[in-house]
Every structure is written in C-alpha cells, then in structure tokens.
Amino acid sequence: MLEDIEAIKRLKALYCHLVDDAVAGDASKALELVSLFTDEGWADFGDFGRFEKKDGLTLFFRDVVPGLLSYTAHMVHNPVIDIDGDRARGRWYFEVPSTLKAAGMAGWLQGRYDEQFVKVDGRWLWLSITARFEYATPFDQGWAKVKMFSL
C-alpha cells in the first residue's frame, strides 16, 4: 500500500510539472498529461468548466489553460491518499503563483484537488480531477482584499 501511495504522489508531482511546462508553451506536455487519464477520465475546474474524455482534456490542458496563463508554478501539499484495491482517492491543497496572459498580471490561485484513480496494468491513472478554487487574487493585493478575480 505504501508503494501505491508513493506512486500516486509521484503522479501528482508529474501533473504539476507537465501543466507548468504546457503553460510555458510546450503543448507536448499537455498531451503527455492527458495520457495519464483513463479513456473515460474527466476534470472539473469549476468556472473553467468540466472536460471529459481525451478530447476534452486535451482541449483544457493544451488550449484553455495556456490561453489564460503565461506562467504557473503548481505546488501541492497535505496529501491524503486512500487506497482501496485498484482504486484510490487523493486530496491535496494547491497554490499556484501565476501570470494572467491577457493582463500580464501576477496572481495567486489557491484551492483543493479531489481526485480518483484506478490502477491499470500496474500503473495508476486518473479517473477524475475536481478542482475547487478558494481564492484567485492579484499578487499585489492578496486574498484579504480581493478573494476572487476573473481570469
């Protein structure tokens, strides 16, 4: 079970690197990330939308996110991972210093990920990612002054 927990932690760390690289302009990293989902996988990013299956996930990670942001540095912490055979659930907090592409403005994104995984042929893959934003704020103002701004 500890090996499974570590494999899921590694998968989540890889997610952070791949998203950041895709935002920086390497679309191949978005495709690599999508390959880590099951064929029926989906991601729900609240106001950004819900994206289903490989085509929807590709649209989100290759086009939507890099279209909104020109820089991100995803950081996840406080993992809680529960294993149940070949299925698992993971929860993390996330913090993402970022730059909004259109405004050229630095900001902070913060919230929680709630994820489901399945082990296929000895490899953990995502079934789903749900992201809930707790704040999206300009860097120079902070969440106490501006809790949510429009991306």
Side-chain angles (χ1 to χ4, degrees):
M1 180 157 61
L2 290 177
E3 287 179 6
D4 290 321
I5 290 171
E6 288 302 313
I8 290 171
K9 285 181 183 179
R10 185 179 189 289
L11 181 63
K12 188 60 182 180
L14 183 58
Y15 166 94
C16 295
H17 290 283
L18 292 172
V19 171
D20 294 343
D21 289 345
V23 167
D26 187 345
S28 72
K29 299 301 182 178
L31 300 176
E32 184 179 344
L33 175 57
V34 169
S35 77
L36 301 174
F37 282 80
T38 65
D39 289 341
E40 298 300 315
W42 55 269
D44 182 344
F45 279 80
D47 290 344
F48 294 105
R50 180 180 163 116
F51 300 85
E52 298 182 1
K53 301 184 179 181
K54 302 283 185 169
D55 288 344
L57 293 165
T58 299
L59 173 69
F60 182 67
F61 290 113
R62 186 193 62 205
D63 301 329
V64 173
V65 178
L68 294 171
L69 303 166
S70 61
Y71 168 79
T72 56
H74 282 73
M75 295 175 274
V76 295
H77 48 90
N78 297 58
V80 176
I81 299 168
D82 299 309
I83 308 291
D84 185 11
D86 285 343
R87 296 197 172 257
R89 179 177 179 208
R91 292 175 286 154
W92 286 263
Y93 283 101
F94 65 81
E95 295 176 278
V96 185
S98 55
T99 303
L100 281 77
K101 188 177 258 183
M105 179 179 73
W108 285 103
L109 307 174
Q110 190 276 328
R112 299 175 191 221
Y113 287 120
D114 190 357
E115 303 174 346
Q116 296 179 56
F117 305 89
V118 64
K119 196 173 192 179
V120 178
D121 296 327
R123 181 176 168 214
W124 287 101
L125 300 173
W126 272 283
L127 287 171
S128 67
I129 296 176
T130 301
R132 293 293 171 245
F133 292 89
E134 294 178 351
Y135 62 78
T137 186
F139 176 82
D140 61 344
Q141 294 181 39
W143 54 89
K145 290 183 181 178
V146 179
K147 187 167 184 175
M148 294 297 243
F149 65 78
S150 177
L151 297 174

